[in-house]
Amino acid sequence: MKKCLSKSVVLMMIIMLFSSLYFSYHNTASAETNDSTIRIYYEREDQNYDKWGLWLWGDVATPSDQVGGWPTGATPFSNEQIGEHGAYVDIELNENPGVINFIVVNRETGEKDGDSKAFTKLNEYDSVYITEGDDYVYTSPDLTVIVENSNAHFPKWSENSTIYEVNVRQYTEEGTFRAFEKHLPRLKKLGVEVLWFMPIHPISQEGRIGTLGSYYAIQDYKAINPEFGTMEDFKRLVDRAHDMGFKIMLDWVANHTGRDHVWTENKEWYTLDDSGNITHPPGTNWLDVADLNYDNTDMRAAMIDAMKYWVEEADIDGYRADYAVGVPVDFWETARKELDKIKPVYMLAEDNVEYDFLKNAFNFNYGWELSHTMRDIAAGNKSAKNVKFYVNKMKRLYPTGSYAMHWTTNHDENSWEGTTQELFGEAEKTMAALTFTLPGIPLIYSGQEAGLDKRLAFFDKDEISWEDLSMQDFYKDLVRLKKKNQALWNGSAGGETNFFETSNERILAFERVKGKSKVIVVMNFSPEPVSGNVEGKTLEGKYHLYPSNKLLKMNSQQQFDLEPWGYKIIVK
C-alpha cells in the first residue's frame, strides 16, 4: 500500500529494515549482557574489524546520528573485542524496545556491507549474529533451525498458478468492471490464473489525495466503488472469470479505513490521540486514513463479517492483505478459520516480517528481498551470491509449504519506484525469467504484457495503453514454462533448488528438480558478454532449450557463452 511518495518511503523502510531472520532457537545469550542491551556479533572472512561499525537507529539509547555524521558516527567494532563468532558490540536499548535498526558500514569510506537490517524480538534474545555479505539477522550462530509445516490449506489450483494484478481504474478508458471483462479472453491466452484486484470499495472524500484518491482509503467495506460499476457488475465479472477458469482475490485493507468510513461513528473502534481524536497509523504519515484498534472485539467481529461478505455474496477465492503486519496475527488466524468454513480460500500477506503469519493464516507473502536484490544486481551492486543467500534463507525460514510472491513490478513499484525499464534496464527480461524459475509464485502487473513504459498515477486517471502487445508472448512463454514443468510449481508441489558451481562469479546457475521434471537456469548477471563453465554431476544428459525446443546435450562441466544479461532455460 502506498498513498503518496512520502508514504512510499515509510513502507520501503518496512520492507528494507524488517528483512530479519527469526528462528525457533533457544536463547543462548551471554550472561555478560543485561536486559537493557543486545550484543551484535559480526563475522568477516578477513577478520579485520577496526574500520567497521554499526550505524544505529530505532529503539537504541544513542542513535548514531547523535554521535556524529555518516559514517563516523557508527558504533565501532574492534580487533580487540572478538569472540567465537566474530567481533561484537553491546548496544544499549531504550525502555520497552520494539526494534533496533542498523547498517554495517566502513567508518572511513562509507562502504556498506549489505542493506539496512532490523531486529524486533528484543524481548526474546539478547544476542544476534550477522556475517559479511549476508543481509539477514540470525538468532543462532550455527543457523540450525527446525522448519515447521504450514497448516494453511493450499488449493490444488494454486500449485502451478501465476498471479495477475488488476488495476481497474487504469486498465481501460472507462475504468469499469464491464470494460475490464472484455480483456478476459486475452488474459486466458496469456495463461495467468489468479486475478488479484486492487481495492474495489468506495474511496473516502475526507482527506482525499488527488482527484480520485487512494484505493486504500476505504469508505465502506461492503460496497463497490461506483466508478467501477455496481455489485451486479462485479458478480457478473466473477462468474464469467470462474467459468473461464480464473480465480479471484480481493485486496483487503484491515489496518485502517478512510477518515469518513461508516465505522468512524464508533470512535472506540479506532486508535485515539491524546486529545481523544481518531488518528492515523502510528509511525506513518498516512494522513488520509484512520488507524483501527484491534483491542476492540466488536471491531474485529465487524471486520471478519465484512471479509465473509465477499466470499458469501460474490464467491471470491481469497484475499491479498494490505500492510498485514499492521494487524495482529491472531486476528488473521481467526479470519482464515471463518473464511475456510465458507470455502477454502487463498491468502497473500503483504509482509516479509512476521513469518508466523504463514503457519496458519496465509499461504504466501511478499518476496521484497528478491525484488531489491534484483534491482541491485541490475545496478551492478550485487551478484549471483546474493540470490543464493535469499533462496537459502527461504529454506531456513518459511514454514514448509508456504512461499513468497516474486515480481519485477506491481502497483507500488510502478507508481513510486519507477518503470521496469528504469529499475532494470537491459536486465528486465532476465529478472522476469528469474521470478518465474526460483521457488515462489510469480506476479504480472497490469500492462506489463503491453510493455508498460510509464509510472501510472496513483490518485488520478492514467490509462494503460494496449497498442503494443509485443511482451505478451514473452510472458505467455514464462507462464507456460511454469505450468508445464512441475519442478517450477509453487511450494511443496514444486522442486528443490540446487545451485551449481561456476567459473565466473557473474554467472548464476541452478536446477529445480521434482521427480522426472528438471529445469536448469543459467544467467549472466552483467552488461558484458561472459563465458564460463558450470559444474555439477547432475548436469549430464540430454535436454531441450526453452522455448526454442532445440536439443542440448550437456556434460558435468559445461561451458556457456552468454550475451549481456543473457540466459538459458534448459528443460528435461
Side-chain angles (χ1 to χ4, degrees):
M1 175 200 70
K2 293 203 176 76
K3 300 186 175 66
C4 65
L5 185 57
S6 60
K7 294 179 184 181
S8 75
V9 174
V10 176
L11 188 53
M12 285 303 294
M13 287 178 66
I14 294 170
I15 297 169
M16 297 295 293
L17 303 181
F18 285 81
S19 59
S20 302
L21 201 56
Y22 308 132
F23 294 125
S24 300
Y25 183 85
H26 179 66
N27 183 352
T28 58
S30 169
E32 299 175 31
T33 61
N34 57 57
D35 291 342
S36 63
T37 64
I38 185 167
R39 176 165 293 181
I40 300 179
Y41 286 90
Y42 175 47
E43 190 164 21
R44 292 184 57 83
E45 187 175 355
D46 63 11
Q47 298 185 8
N48 188 357
Y49 300 97
D50 282 341
K51 297 180 180 180
W52 294 89
L54 297 178
W55 183 266
L56 299 159
W57 70 99
D59 294 326
V60 294
T62 308
S64 293
D65 62 4
Q66 294 182 12
V67 177
W70 173 274
T72 56
T75 300
F77 290 105
S78 169
N79 289 339
E80 303 301 318
Q81 187 166 279
I82 297 178
E84 182 181 356
H85 307 292
Y88 64 89
V89 291
D90 293 329
I91 306 301
E92 187 175 354
L93 303 172
N94 293 334
E95 185 177 355
N96 299 317
V99 60
I100 179 173
N101 308 111
F102 56 92
I103 298 171
V104 180
V105 60
N106 186 307
R107 299 175 68 248
E108 295 181 1
T109 67
E111 175 191 356
K112 299 178 185 178
D113 182 4
D115 287 328
S116 304
K117 301 173 177 64
F119 188 72
T120 60
K121 296 195 173 182
L122 298 166
N123 62 332
E124 298 180 34
Y125 302 94
D126 53 17
S127 290
V128 294
Y129 306 84
I130 55 177
T131 60
E132 179 185 5
D134 191 335
D135 280 338
Y136 305 105
V137 180
Y138 302 101
T139 58
S140 162
D142 58 7
L143 309 184
T144 56
V145 60
I146 298 175
V147 179
E148 299 182 32
N149 291 326
S150 173
N151 296 315
H153 171 78
F154 289 81
K156 185 72 175 177
W157 51 259
S158 69
E159 291 182 346
N160 60 357
S161 294
T162 295
I163 298 181
Y164 187 92
E165 182 183 5
V166 181
N167 185 335
V168 175
R169 175 188 290 172
Q170 315 297 19
Y171 213 88
T172 61
E173 181 180 2
E174 302 89 341
T176 63
F177 295 134
R178 284 185 175 269
F180 169 74
E181 189 178 320
K182 297 175 184 178
H183 285 259
L184 288 179
R186 180 181 60 78
L187 293 175
K188 184 66 176 178
K189 292 180 181 178
L190 181 62
V192 295
E193 187 167 12
V194 183
L195 303 180
W196 152 30
F197 285 80
M198 293 173 67
I200 62 172
H201 312 292
I203 295 171
S204 286
Q205 292 289 340
E206 183 178 340
R208 175 174 288 198
I209 303 172
T211 57
L212 299 178
S214 168
Y215 315 78
Y216 296 86
I218 291 171
Q219 194 176 59
D220 187 345
Y221 285 120
K222 288 188 175 182
I224 291 285
N225 186 341
E227 299 166 23
F228 298 166
T230 66
M231 183 64 166
E232 292 308 312
D233 292 335
F234 181 66
K235 287 183 176 181
R236 167 193 159 113
L237 172 59
V238 174
D239 288 344
R240 186 176 180 203
H242 281 165
D243 288 344
M244 296 176 69
F246 293 105
K247 303 299 178 182
I248 304 296
M249 295 179 71
L250 287 187
D251 214 327
W252 196 258
V253 188
N255 170 260
H256 52 264
T257 71
R259 300 200 67 83
D260 56 6
H261 190 281
V262 294
W263 288 0
T264 53
E265 295 180 359
N266 306 301
K267 289 183 67 174
E268 66 275 11
W269 288 20
Y270 289 84
T271 301
L272 306 180
D273 62 20
D274 292 339
S275 300
N277 299 314
I278 295 174
T279 189
H280 60 282
T284 77
N285 63 349
W286 302 341
L287 302 181
D288 59 335
V289 297
D291 189 58
L292 286 164
N293 173 20
Y294 274 82
D295 290 332
N296 188 288
T297 56
D298 291 337
M299 188 281 293
R300 284 186 174 224
M303 183 67 75
I304 290 176
D305 179 67
M307 295 180 75
K308 291 168 63 176
Y309 173 83
W310 293 98
V311 179
E312 292 172 335
E313 295 298 319
D315 196 26
I316 69 160
D317 302 290
Y319 288 103
R320 176 262 189 188
D322 179 74
Y323 189 35
V325 74
V327 176
V329 64
D330 69 291
F331 169 81
W332 291 123
E333 290 178 343
T334 300
R336 178 66 185 260
K337 288 179 182 177
E338 292 301 310
L339 294 172
D340 278 345
K341 290 177 183 177
I342 305 169
K343 66 183 289 188
V345 293
Y346 191 49
M347 299 288 286
L348 164 62
E350 187 202 18
D351 172 67
N352 70 332
V353 180
E354 292 294 343
Y355 293 91
D356 285 350
F357 283 173
L358 298 171
K359 292 181 180 178
N360 299 295
F362 292 95
N363 301 92
F364 58 124
N365 69 358
Y366 264 48
W368 269 308
E369 297 97 321
L370 181 65
S371 175
H372 297 140
T373 295
M374 292 190 301
R375 284 198 227 168
D376 286 338
I377 290 171
N381 298 325
K382 286 189 177 179
S383 65
K385 70 178 182 181
N386 297 100
V387 175
K388 297 178 185 178
F389 286 149
Y390 174 69
V391 173
N392 288 333
K393 168 252 184 179
M394 293 177 74
K395 292 179 180 178
R396 293 190 299 262
L397 181 60
Y398 278 65
T400 302
S402 64
Y403 43 89
M405 180 178 73
H406 298 135
W407 64 86
T408 51
T409 193
N410 55 39
H411 67 274
D412 283 333
E413 308 279 313
N414 171 264
S415 292
W416 305 112
E417 308 303 327
T419 66
T420 51
Q421 183 61 35
E422 290 176 299
L423 297 178
F424 301 106
E426 296 302 312
E428 178 181 353
K429 287 187 176 181
T430 308
M431 298 308 164
L434 189 63
T435 66
F436 275 81
T437 52
L438 284 181
I441 188 168
L443 169 75
I444 300 173
Y445 178 48
S446 295
Q448 279 196 269
E449 70 273 41
L452 182 62
D453 60 356
K454 65 176 178 178
R455 302 186 187 196
L456 295 174
F458 204 79
F459 310 112
D460 303 285
K461 183 67 177 177
D462 193 9
E463 185 184 348
I464 296 169
S465 172
W466 298 102
E467 293 180 0
D468 179 10
L469 285 171
S470 58
M471 291 287 283
Q472 174 100 358
D473 286 344
F474 170 74
Y475 281 106
K476 181 178 180 181
D477 284 341
L478 288 178
V479 174
R480 181 163 56 91
L481 171 73
K482 185 173 186 76
K483 193 174 291 288
K484 297 297 184 181
N485 293 276
Q486 189 175 356
L488 300 181
W489 288 8
N490 305 319
S492 297
E496 289 292 323
T497 305
N498 305 307
F499 290 97
F500 295 113
E501 293 295 325
T502 66
S503 62
N504 190 316
E505 63 181 10
R506 293 175 292 180
I507 296 177
L508 175 73
F510 63 91
E511 66 176 0
R512 301 280 307 280
V513 181
K514 182 74 170 184
K516 295 181 179 180
S517 174
K518 179 190 286 191
V519 176
I520 295 172
V521 180
V522 182
M523 292 181 161
N524 173 13
F525 279 171
S526 80
E528 306 292 336
V530 300
S531 295
N533 290 330
V534 176
E535 299 183 16
K537 292 182 179 180
T538 58
L539 282 171
E540 293 185 19
K542 294 181 180 180
Y543 302 85
H544 289 89
L545 290 170
Y546 187 88
S548 70
N549 207 36
K550 182 180 178 181
L551 182 65
L552 177 66
K553 184 177 180 180
M554 293 203 295
N555 300 313
S556 59
Q557 182 172 308
Q558 185 71 28
Q559 180 172 327
F560 286 89
D561 300 314
L562 300 169
E563 296 297 318
W565 300 112
Y567 62 91
K568 304 287 186 184
I569 298 176
I570 304 158
V571 176
K572 189 173 186 178

